[in-house]
Amino acid sequence: MKLNLIEPEFLMNESIGKFPVLDEYSLRQLTPSIFSEKTKDKFLDFTEIIDMAADNGWKPVYAVEKPSTKFKNQGNTPAFIKFRNENMQLSATEDLFPELLLRVNPNNDFTSLESGYLFRQVCSNGLIRGEGEQKNYNISMGRNSYEQRLLQFMNSFGKVNDNFSQIMLPVNLMKEIELTEKQKIDFAFKSKTKARLSKVNAAELLVPRRIEDEGSVLWNVFNRVQENVMSNLPSGLHIELNQQLWGLAEQFAK
């Protein structure tokens, strides 16, 4: 599914690092399906979930849905909100924060919280752990009462926080591995193949955009290749591709 990003017009005077936190008005403009009456009647009042996220340290920084061309489809469109937690800095040497994704699809009987996302502030990278390591917490809407659904979300937020305690293990491993020139080219070539960037030279993906990403350490090579790959793609979440690039980096760490 190709998702289009709509830029918000109004933001709160609050930020995580240099990135603004979305207020409720912006969220309603960006993801109207999540806040529609139909979604509220079928699922939950998601303003309560936004408040619950904030109580757990998670603040919305990105929201998007596939725009509906017909008013009658309002409330049927899959939508996403990304949250970032500034209270859980994961690295002592760089600004690396955990993120999670709220997925709401009014056409299904469940919604979900997904952990395994990382945000690297120095380059605005959105990183996603490998598919096998990512944790999804599905909230069943079915026959559960309103109170049971809220409780499921509350429990899921607790599990999400616990999951991030293990997320730095592969990161620290990548920071210990030096790649040869041949390995760096191989990594860049396989990355561009996964991204289907046939017109981009592999060597171009290895060009660092900042001092922090220079060198041959796998973590730095992965970050600069990932950022260069994303700069050659249209705006969007690119979840599956990010997972594939993370998985590729882990293969080079073995």
Side-chain angles (χ1 to χ4, degrees):
M1 179 190 300
K2 183 178 179 181
L3 299 174
N4 298 316
L5 175 63
I6 308 169
E7 294 295 337
E9 296 181 0
F10 297 91
L11 301 173
M12 294 175 63
N13 295 321
E14 184 179 5
S15 63
I16 297 178
K18 59 183 178 180
F19 297 90
V21 173
L22 297 174
D23 62 9
E24 184 177 332
Y25 177 86
S26 296
L27 289 173
R28 288 181 178 275
Q29 299 302 306
L30 293 164
T31 53
S33 288
I34 288 182
F35 299 95
S36 71
E37 287 300 315
K38 180 175 181 178
T39 301
K40 181 177 178 179
D41 291 340
K42 183 178 180 181
F43 289 164
L44 289 166
D45 181 352
F46 276 90
T47 57
E48 294 190 61
I49 304 305
I50 304 301
D51 291 340
M52 186 183 295
D55 290 341
N56 284 268
W58 298 97
K59 299 180 181 180
V61 294
Y62 180 96
V64 67
E65 72 174 51
K66 184 179 180 182
S68 174
T69 58
K70 297 181 180 180
F71 181 79
K72 67 180 182 180
N73 289 336
Q74 184 68 55
N76 291 325
T77 305
F80 309 80
I81 297 178
K82 183 185 284 187
F83 297 85
R84 189 172 301 143
N85 195 324
E86 64 179 338
N87 299 322
M88 294 175 64
Q89 186 166 344
L90 298 173
S91 173
T93 58
E94 61 180 324
D95 290 333
L96 193 65
F97 298 96
E99 293 184 328
L100 62 86
L101 190 69
L102 169 67
R103 288 177 180 259
V104 179
N105 186 346
N107 295 310
N108 294 334
D109 288 329
F110 66 89
T111 185
S112 67
L113 285 175
E114 299 177 3
S115 69
Y117 296 79
L118 288 173
F119 174 76
R120 188 170 179 245
Q121 184 165 291
V122 68
C123 56
S124 304
N125 271 12
L127 308 175
I128 303 176
R129 297 169 71 182
E131 186 173 3
E133 301 171 316
Q134 191 176 358
K135 302 292 185 180
N136 296 345
Y137 303 97
N138 291 332
I139 314 299
S140 176
M141 296 300 165
R143 298 179 180 179
N144 289 334
S145 68
Y146 193 92
E147 290 73 19
Q148 288 173 323
R149 297 170 189 176
L150 284 178
L151 182 60
Q152 282 185 306
F153 265 105
M154 184 179 299
N155 292 337
S156 295
F157 276 115
K159 293 177 182 177
V160 161
N161 287 349
D162 292 340
N163 179 47
F164 279 107
S165 64
Q166 300 296 317
I167 202 169
M168 285 303 294
L169 296 178
V171 172
N172 290 332
L173 181 60
M174 291 182 203
K175 290 183 176 182
E176 296 177 356
I177 296 176
E178 292 272 346
L179 299 183
T180 65
E181 291 300 316
K182 182 179 179 181
Q183 287 175 318
K184 287 189 284 187
I185 289 293
D186 186 30
F187 182 84
F189 181 80
K190 289 180 178 178
S191 296
K192 90 181 195 77
T193 300
K194 290 182 181 297
R196 299 179 181 178
L197 298 176
S198 58
K199 297 182 180 180
V200 177
N201 190 289
E204 297 176 32
L205 300 179
L206 291 168
V207 177
R209 298 183 175 219
R210 58 195 57 79
I211 296 175
E212 292 87 350
D213 285 340
E214 293 180 353
S216 300
V217 175
L218 176 56
W219 175 248
N220 292 356
V221 173
F222 164 56
N223 274 280
R224 67 177 185 257
V225 168
Q226 187 263 4
E227 185 178 13
N228 286 326
V229 165
M230 295 304 154
S231 69
N232 282 279
L233 297 174
S235 298
L237 295 175
H238 302 293
I239 293 174
E240 292 183 1
L241 176 58
N242 265 296
Q243 289 175 331
Q244 292 172 7
L245 296 180
W246 183 282
L248 178 63
E250 289 192 310
Q251 290 177 21
F252 275 73
K254 294 179 179 179

